[in-house]
Amino acid sequence: MMSRESKRPRRGRARGPGKQSAAPSRARKHTRSYHHGDLRRALLEAAAAIVQERGSDAVTLREVARRVGVSQMAPYHHFADKEALLAAVAEQGFQELTAVMTERIGRLSSPMERLKATCPAYVHFAVRHPSEFQVMFRGALADFKSHPSLLAASEQAFNVLMTCVEDCQRAGLLRKASSWELAIAVWSGAHGLASLWIDGPIRKGCPKASDVGRLAEFVTTILEQGARRRAKR
């Protein structure tokens, strides 16, 4: 083809349509690649990667689109703005956290063992998904009430822990007190440990995720012993 065009230099107009047809071809390729909801998932993954690299402030719909390889307007078919995108990242994170905790405690029958398993499961999720964890809990989304589905997902994750606490109370394994306060105590231990590992202060002593997992089990045991001692008084 190139040889025929070189013999007819005056037919430069014929090359114009040829160049124009290349762009639609690429556009059609992207449309096929992200059909049936794949685009939304790819956008969420790109946003999480940016958070991991440069923090949530660096996330823009334009940069997410560039990374995924779609037009700048494509993300707006799924997300109204940056906050909506980050809310979706956080919502997905809470759904995954719920699944991790549910899967871990589902293997156990003892109420106390199930409660003690929630802390390692929580830390396990956090150290493997630090970018999602950052979006879920740090600053960028201060008011979950503006995002009902995100709020529901976060409550579902917390309810896994609450149910474990209440089961232990019904079995006489924990003192009769506010189940919410007891759940917050366990959550605080797990969340603090996860944050300390992600931010770096304890990585020297716990360089591997498996190390912090064992530490999470120890933290939960300490909390359990404290609650049991109060139950005997």
Side-chain angles (χ1 to χ4, degrees):
M1 179 176 288
M2 290 299 296
S3 61
R4 288 198 297 271
E5 291 177 352
S6 62
K7 291 180 181 179
R8 297 183 177 88
R10 294 182 180 179
R11 297 184 61 183
R13 295 180 180 177
R15 291 195 297 271
K19 290 183 178 180
Q20 292 173 0
S21 62
S25 175
R26 287 193 295 270
R28 286 193 297 271
K29 182 178 180 180
H30 287 310
T31 301
R32 289 194 298 270
S33 299
Y34 298 109
H35 198 46
H36 298 309
D38 288 346
L39 175 56
R40 188 179 191 278
R41 181 167 58 250
L43 295 170
L44 292 176
E45 291 173 354
I50 296 172
V51 172
Q52 176 68 12
E53 295 165 10
R54 293 182 285 160
S56 58
D57 289 343
V59 176
T60 65
L61 292 178
R62 174 176 293 187
E63 174 61 14
V64 167
R66 186 191 68 78
R67 291 198 178 204
V68 173
V70 294
S71 71
Q72 295 180 7
M73 296 304 298
Y76 289 95
H77 293 295
H78 297 277
F79 308 106
D81 51 27
K82 169 183 172 177
E83 182 174 321
L85 173 60
L86 291 176
V89 172
E91 179 181 344
Q92 179 175 274
F94 279 113
Q95 291 169 346
E96 293 173 355
L97 173 59
T98 298
V100 168
M101 291 193 296
T102 301
E103 191 276 333
R104 181 73 66 92
I105 67 176
R107 307 172 187 173
L108 306 168
S109 57
S110 165
M112 183 55 72
E113 291 302 315
R114 287 164 65 87
L115 175 60
K116 291 170 65 176
T118 58
C119 183
Y122 187 98
V123 174
H124 174 87
F125 167 82
V127 300
R128 283 167 172 74
H129 305 280
S131 55
E132 288 91 340
F133 191 79
Q134 178 178 343
V135 176
M136 290 159 66
F137 294 106
R138 298 183 183 177
L141 296 168
D143 185 10
F144 282 14
K145 293 180 180 179
S146 300
H147 306 281
S149 60
L150 168 58
L151 178 61
S154 67
E155 290 176 343
Q156 184 178 13
F158 183 70
N159 284 339
V160 174
L161 178 55
M162 278 282 290
T163 298
C164 289
V165 168
E166 291 168 348
D167 288 345
C168 285
Q169 287 180 310
R170 281 191 289 268
L173 301 174
L174 292 178
R175 63 190 177 93
K176 293 182 179 180
S178 167
S179 57
W180 183 86
E181 291 180 358
L182 291 173
I184 290 296
V186 177
W187 181 20
S188 297
H191 188 84
L193 181 59
S195 297
L196 287 170
W197 193 89
I198 290 173
D199 294 339
I202 65 171
R203 284 201 186 189
K204 185 176 181 180
C206 300
K208 299 179 181 179
S210 58
D211 296 330
V212 76
R214 286 191 292 271
L215 187 55
E217 293 175 356
F218 175 75
V219 168
T220 310
T221 299
I222 294 298
L223 291 170
E224 173 213 347
Q225 290 174 350
R228 282 184 183 276
R229 280 196 296 270
R230 286 196 172 190
K232 294 178 181 179
R233 291 179 182 177

